[in-house]
Amino acid sequence: MIAHEQLVRDYEAGIGVPASDTTPSADPGGCLAATLPVWALAAGSVAAVTAAANRIRDVHHLNPVAHRLDPDRITAAFSSERVLRIGGAPASVFADLSGFFPTFDGWVRTHANYPHHRARLLAALGLPDDAPVDLAVAQMAMSRAGDVEELAAAHGAIAVQVRTEAEWAATPQGQAAASGPLVAIDTRIDRGEIGLPIGASPLQPLRGVRVLDLTRVIAGPVATRTLALLGADVLRIDPPRLPEIPWQYHDTCQGKRSALLDLRAQLPVVNDLLAAADVLITGYRPGALEHAGLTAARRPGLVHGRISAWGESGPWGRRRGFDSIVQAAAGISIIEGAPAVPGALPAQALDHASGYLLAAGVIDALVARAHDGIGRDVRVALARTASWLLDASDRTPRHPQAAAPNPMAAVTHGNIITAAPVLAEYPDYAWPAPRYGADRPAWPLPTR
C-alpha cells in the first residue's frame, strides 16, 4: 500500500466509514522531500477530503468526481507562504523572536509572531516589552530549556524544549498526543433537522451549508477555505483588537467573507449567527468559548470542528502551540536536522494536513447528520497529526533537497499572488481574500 493510502485508511477507520477507493499517486520524489514521509501526509490528507466530498455527493445523489492528486498543486498549497507575493514582496513568515535559540543545556523553539505573544515571551524571560532581541537571546542562552518552556507556559507565551522523538514519546503529553483516532468525531445529545441544504452540484456539493469560522493562522483557515472551495458559505470572524497577520489572512481567506466581532461584548450577535449555521469551526483552547458563553448546543444538530495544538486531553491540553512548536517538541526538528542544529519540515505540513483532515471530518459529520440530525464534534490536533507522521514507514534520511513550488501552480489577483487550490479540478477560488473585516457579521438573505 502506498503510504498516502494508509493515511486515508487510518482516517476512515478512525471515524467508522467503509474504506473508499483511494486516488492513486506515486511519490513524486523532490516534492516536499524530507526524512519523514511528508508527501504521504500531504497527499493522504487531500485524498481524505476528496473521498469525503464524494460521500456527500452520494447523499445528494450526484455522480462522484474522479479527483486526481496533482503534485504541483499539493506542493504549492502546502508551501503556500513561499508562493505568496503581496506587491511583489514575499511573506516574512517568522518574527525576530520566533525560531530556534540555544540554551544552557540544549535548544528551545519559540513563536512570537503576534505582538501579544512577543510581550508574553519577554515577560517569561523577565524582560520588559521593549527589550532588544540580543538581550532575550542571551537570557535564553543562560537558562535551561525546560525552564524556558515552563516559564513560557506560565505566562501564556509559546516556547518549547527541542526534544528527540524518544524523549517526546516518554512524556505524558507525548503519550496523550499519540492516542485516539487521527480525526475524532463524537456525537452530542442535541438533534436538529435531517437532510442537507438543497442546490448542491458536483463541484459544489456543500452549496447552502453555512460555516461560522472562528479560526486564524493556518490549520483552521485551511479547513474553512477548503469547505468554501466546495461551495460552503463561510463567514470568518476576527476580534477587532487583535488583527490577523496580513500575509496569513491573504494566504487563507479566499472564497470567504470577513467580519470583525467582539465575541464577549457582542455575544447576542454571535449566538444569532450560530443559530443559523450548519458548521462552527474553532481554534480556541479547550473551554475558552464555553467560558465566553458560546456553546455548540445553541444550534441543535450543529457540526463543531475543533482544531488544537496538543489535543484536548493530557497535561498540555490547554497550552498554546503552532506547527513549528509541535515539530520541535515532538522530535521532528531533530530528525530533520541534528541534535546540534535542529531543522524543520520543508513546509508547515502539520498545519496544512490537519486543516484538510478537519475539512474531511466536517464533511463526513455532515453526511452522518443528514441521516440522523444529531450534532457532532470533530476534533483534530497538530500533535496527533505529528504522531501519524512519526509512526509512518518509509523514512528517507538520504533524500534530495525539497523542490521549490512550481510558480505555475499559482493564481494572481491584482498585486497578490497565492497558491492555486489544492484540488486540481478547481482553477481558482470563488474570489480572493476580501478586505479584512469588510463584511457585515450576518448571513446573506436567501436568494429565490
Side-chain angles (χ1 to χ4, degrees):
M1 181 181 293
I2 300 174
H4 87 275
E5 295 177 336
Q6 185 60 57
L7 186 142
V8 180
R9 295 289 179 267
D10 291 345
Y11 163 75
E12 291 174 337
I15 66 170
V17 299
S20 60
D21 293 330
T22 311
T23 305
S25 178
D27 189 329
C31 292
L32 302 173
T35 297
L36 294 170
V38 178
W39 171 256
L41 176 67
S45 63
V46 174
V49 171
T50 63
N54 276 332
R55 284 189 283 272
I56 205 164
R57 290 184 181 106
D58 185 62
V59 175
H60 284 293
H61 305 292
L62 297 169
N63 291 329
V65 172
H67 289 282
R68 63 186 178 88
L69 300 180
D70 184 321
D72 285 339
R73 286 287 193 96
I74 292 173
T75 300
F78 271 69
S79 311
S80 57
E81 74 278 3
R82 298 174 62 188
V83 176
L84 182 69
R85 295 291 185 274
I86 301 177
S92 180
V93 177
F94 291 109
D96 52 9
L97 274 179
S98 295
F100 293 108
F101 296 98
T103 66
F104 178 76
D105 59 349
W107 291 83
V108 292
R109 176 100 197 209
T110 64
H111 196 289
N113 284 4
Y114 289 98
H116 58 292
H117 288 160
R118 178 190 177 91
R120 290 172 185 171
L121 178 61
L122 289 171
L125 296 172
L127 300 173
D129 289 358
D130 58 353
V133 173
D134 289 349
L135 187 56
V137 172
Q139 187 67 25
M140 286 186 277
M142 295 186 294
S143 305
R144 297 184 184 277
D147 292 341
V148 174
E149 179 179 272
E150 291 307 313
L151 285 168
H155 285 79
I158 304 167
V160 293
Q161 178 180 354
V162 177
R163 291 173 171 82
T164 66
E165 181 180 4
E167 288 171 340
W168 174 247
T171 64
Q173 57 268 25
Q175 294 162 10
S179 64
L182 188 59
V183 177
I185 301 182
D186 301 318
T187 57
R188 300 192 308 272
I189 61 173
D190 53 280
R191 186 187 298 265
E193 296 179 359
I194 293 174
L196 290 168
I198 61 174
S201 66
L203 287 181
Q204 291 197 311
L206 298 183
R207 183 181 294 168
V209 172
R210 288 176 168 176
V211 179
L212 188 60
D213 179 6
L214 303 184
T215 69
R216 45 184 21 198
V217 193
I218 298 176
V222 163
T224 52
R225 184 184 64 184
T226 305
L227 300 176
L229 183 68
L230 293 169
D233 179 3
V234 179
L235 175 61
R236 170 169 166 157
I237 300 294
D238 280 279
R241 289 183 293 276
L242 289 175
E244 176 63 300
I245 296 171
W247 78 262
Q248 291 177 169
Y249 175 79
H250 286 291
D251 193 36
T252 60
C253 206
Q254 302 96 317
K256 311 176 195 177
R257 292 179 296 115
S258 168
L260 303 181
L261 196 63
D262 187 317
L263 296 187
R264 291 180 182 274
Q266 297 173 280
L267 186 60
V269 178
V270 182
N271 282 328
D272 286 345
L273 290 171
L274 189 59
D278 299 288
V279 177
L280 170 67
I281 307 289
T282 60
Y284 289 86
R285 289 177 298 152
L289 284 179
E290 290 77 5
H291 182 71
L294 187 67
T295 63
R298 289 184 180 273
R299 170 65 160 96
L302 184 83
V303 173
H304 183 185
R306 290 144 61 162
I307 185 83
S308 65
W310 310 105
E312 297 186 8
S313 63
W316 282 17
R318 296 182 63 83
R319 289 196 183 187
R320 297 172 174 85
F322 295 95
D323 182 304
S324 59
I325 297 296
V326 175
Q327 287 189 44
I332 293 173
S333 296
I334 298 298
I335 293 171
E336 298 298 340
V341 184
L345 298 175
Q348 297 189 67
L350 305 181
D351 259 334
H352 287 273
S354 296
Y356 292 118
L357 287 169
L358 181 59
V362 166
I363 295 169
D364 276 316
L366 286 169
V367 170
R369 192 190 73 175
H371 297 294
D372 60 23
I374 295 174
R376 286 170 169 83
D377 292 336
V378 182
R379 292 181 287 107
V380 173
L382 303 186
R384 181 64 184 89
T385 303
S387 72
W388 186 93
L389 183 61
L390 289 164
D391 289 342
S393 57
D394 300 327
R395 293 188 183 187
T396 53
R398 294 180 175 273
H399 57 81
Q401 183 176 0
N406 186 341
M408 299 301 293
V411 292
T412 302
H413 292 278
N415 69 339
I416 297 178
I417 300 173
T418 60
V422 75
L423 301 184
E425 293 72 29
Y426 296 77
D428 199 353
Y429 296 97
W431 56 79
R435 182 168 57 85
Y436 185 69
D439 295 287
R440 293 177 56 247
W443 300 112
L445 295 174
T447 56
R448 297 192 177 189

